[in-house]
Amino acid sequence: MASDEPKAKKLKLSEDEKTESPNKKAATELSPNVLFGMGNPLLDISAVVDKDFLDKYSLKPNDQILAEDKHKALFDELVKKFKVEYHAGGATQNSVKIAQWMIQEPHNVGTFFGCIGKDKFGDILKQKAEEAHVDARYYEQDEEPTGTCAACITGDNRSLVANLAAANCYKKEMHLDLEENWELVQKAKVYYIAGFFLTVSLESILKVAKHASEHNKLFCMNLSAPFICQFFKDNLMQVMPYIDVLFGNETEAAAFGKEQDFETKDIKELARKAQVLPKINSKRQRIVVFTQGKDETIMALGDKIETFPVLKIDPKDIVDTNGAGDAFVGGFLSGLVQEKPLDQCVRAAHYSANVIIRQAGCTFPEKPDFK
């Protein structure tokens, strides 16, 4: 039987944190901007497609890639040929939104930084963030249009093709370094950046990661996609020593393990080996959380490996798995900022993912039904 030691574990968010009063509701103690996210804000264009469409653009059924020249026509064809839906997306932004949805009150618990264009899609993203009660502070520029992501759905698989455009134009010195923006970073106690942002602004990630480490706050990151582990390995490993909570799914974990010469395909061993990689803030042990779709979630902490079964769902109730991973992280973050024990963070993560796969895109009902 797995040890239950990590289950009782609560994570203090910073060294200046007062001891939590057990009598108060955690939600009432939260202040705005306690959760900080930074990443690629994208407008998702999602549609159920056929295998011919995937084959035409050399897409795997379940993958995440950056658009290349050969994918230029894909976006137009998707809109012309299939019934598309538009949703505010981008992995980190999705997770911050879900965390806010799970928490409900107060509003603007989550801050989000990223770059958009001065255009219609950018206006949609601003409106959607406001509706989700996320404090989105976009860096707006007019050289590139707002980024988009084609979500090509077949069955319960989704192939994502991101055209970063404006999202790729985020500049540390033009946005993160500005006093009013950096103050929001300092207000936060939990930080989350998806691995996708490693392709955009490593220096911005490192500035935030170092701040978190120096103040003993929680810095969380996601492997995000096999290509991040493979082609942005150097950037990822520059950030790794600052990562307190590392998320990933089974394919990302396998790609990471292969690139790091872990010499195992066993997901528990992969989690254990990622957990013991060098870390700068020795006050916190790294936590590694790997999901496996409908199979159990793995969590490595210290020398313990925990497993958590996911909530069962009838396959016919699955509408769209795009956003399931983002929702999992969002639920987990909602637990972290409320200083819930880790097993409750996983419960919240499983609940969020279970809700989101019943909806189109990373959308959700008005309120969660989670106790």
Side-chain angles (χ1 to χ4, degrees):
M1 189 174 132
S3 160
D4 62 2
E5 186 185 46
K7 293 187 179 178
K9 183 96 174 160
K10 285 191 179 186
L11 299 181
K12 282 183 71 174
L13 299 187
S14 67
E15 55 199 3
D16 50 48
E17 194 74 2
K18 294 185 177 71
T19 307
E20 182 182 33
S21 159
N23 303 322
K24 283 189 187 174
K25 283 187 178 169
T28 59
E29 295 174 11
L30 289 180
S31 53
N33 309 110
V34 74
L35 172 65
F36 175 84
M38 182 167 61
N40 300 330
L42 303 172
L43 191 73
D44 286 346
I45 305 169
S46 60
V48 174
V49 302
D50 49 37
K51 186 175 180 300
D52 289 346
F53 185 81
L54 296 183
D55 291 345
K56 179 176 179 179
Y57 291 102
S58 311
L59 302 177
K60 295 175 187 167
N62 206 24
D63 201 9
Q64 309 97 319
I65 62 167
L66 293 178
E68 299 169 34
D69 285 345
K70 67 181 178 185
H71 301 115
K72 285 266 159 62
L74 179 151
F75 292 85
D76 286 338
E77 186 177 340
L78 191 69
V79 172
K80 287 186 183 129
K81 200 170 171 185
F82 302 98
K83 183 175 176 293
V84 300
E85 292 189 8
Y86 294 94
H87 299 286
T92 305
Q93 187 169 235
N94 283 344
S95 295
V96 173
K97 267 189 202 163
I98 295 283
Q100 178 66 58
W101 172 70
M102 286 288 284
I103 290 163
Q104 290 284 308
E105 299 285 343
H107 291 168
N108 294 335
V109 163
T111 312
F112 177 77
F113 286 5
C115 184
I116 59 174
K118 295 178 178 174
D119 51 27
K120 181 169 72 89
F121 283 176
D123 289 341
I124 293 173
L125 286 183
K126 285 194 275 192
Q127 180 197 334
K128 295 286 187 188
E130 200 173 316
E131 286 170 5
H133 309 301
V134 168
D135 191 0
R137 306 290 178 106
Y138 296 117
Y139 168 46
E140 297 180 50
Q141 50 73 61
D142 47 20
E143 285 172 31
E144 286 280 348
T146 296
T148 49
C149 179
C152 309
I153 298 155
T154 51
D156 59 2
N157 289 319
R158 51 73 183 130
S159 194
L160 306 181
V161 184
N163 179 27
L164 296 185
N168 205 29
C169 298
Y170 189 83
K171 300 278 187 295
K172 172 177 164 288
E173 63 282 2
M174 299 294 287
H175 194 259
L176 185 67
D177 290 345
L178 301 185
E179 191 178 348
E180 67 270 24
N181 291 334
W182 187 248
E183 280 174 3
L184 288 170
V185 176
Q186 292 173 311
K187 278 177 81 172
K189 296 189 174 164
V190 177
Y191 301 83
Y192 175 66
I193 300 176
F196 292 122
F197 202 58
L198 287 163
T199 76
V200 174
S201 184
L202 175 63
E203 60 277 16
S204 296
I205 299 173
L206 285 170
K207 182 172 181 179
V208 171
K210 286 173 181 174
H211 168 80
S213 181
E214 284 161 11
H215 295 85
N216 196 29
K217 299 176 182 181
L218 271 172
F219 183 79
C220 314
M221 200 157 195
N222 202 318
L223 295 175
S224 291
F227 83 85
I228 297 291
C229 304
Q230 292 157 345
F231 306 120
F232 294 88
K233 171 166 70 173
D234 292 348
N235 288 10
L236 175 60
M237 295 318 287
Q238 281 190 59
V239 182
M240 187 61 69
Y242 300 99
I243 298 176
D244 296 303
V245 185
L246 179 68
F247 297 102
N249 67 22
E250 72 277 34
T251 47
E252 294 151 12
F256 181 69
K258 189 177 175 192
E259 290 299 322
Q260 298 299 319
D261 298 322
F262 282 172
E263 295 181 345
T264 180
K265 291 184 178 172
D266 180 86
I267 192 154
K268 291 182 183 177
E269 271 306 298
L270 290 168
R272 192 192 303 277
K273 291 193 174 212
Q275 197 270 330
V276 298
L277 287 168
K279 191 167 182 303
I280 286 172
N281 178 9
S282 58
K283 293 177 186 170
R284 295 185 181 280
Q285 289 190 314
R286 182 178 295 119
I287 299 159
V288 177
V289 185
F290 286 156
T291 59
Q292 305 182 87
K294 65 182 186 306
D295 296 326
E296 63 191 13
T297 294
I298 309 295
M299 181 165 69
L301 173 63
D303 56 357
K304 306 284 190 299
I305 300 280
E306 288 275 323
T307 57
F308 300 89
V310 303
L311 295 169
K312 289 196 167 41
I313 184 168
D314 189 319
K316 71 175 189 293
D317 291 332
I318 297 174
V319 174
D320 178 1
T321 58
N322 182 27
D326 300 339
F328 177 93
V329 171
F332 200 100
L333 293 172
S334 75
L336 282 183
V337 296
Q338 296 177 85
E339 298 192 44
K340 299 275 182 75
L342 289 172
D343 66 316
Q344 288 187 37
C345 294
V346 176
R347 267 188 63 234
H350 283 163
Y351 170 79
S352 301
N354 186 273
V355 169
I356 262 57
I357 59 178
R358 299 168 190 267
Q359 323 275 325
C362 196
T363 58
F364 34 82
E366 190 186 347
K367 290 196 170 166
D369 180 21
F370 179 75
K371 298 287 181 284

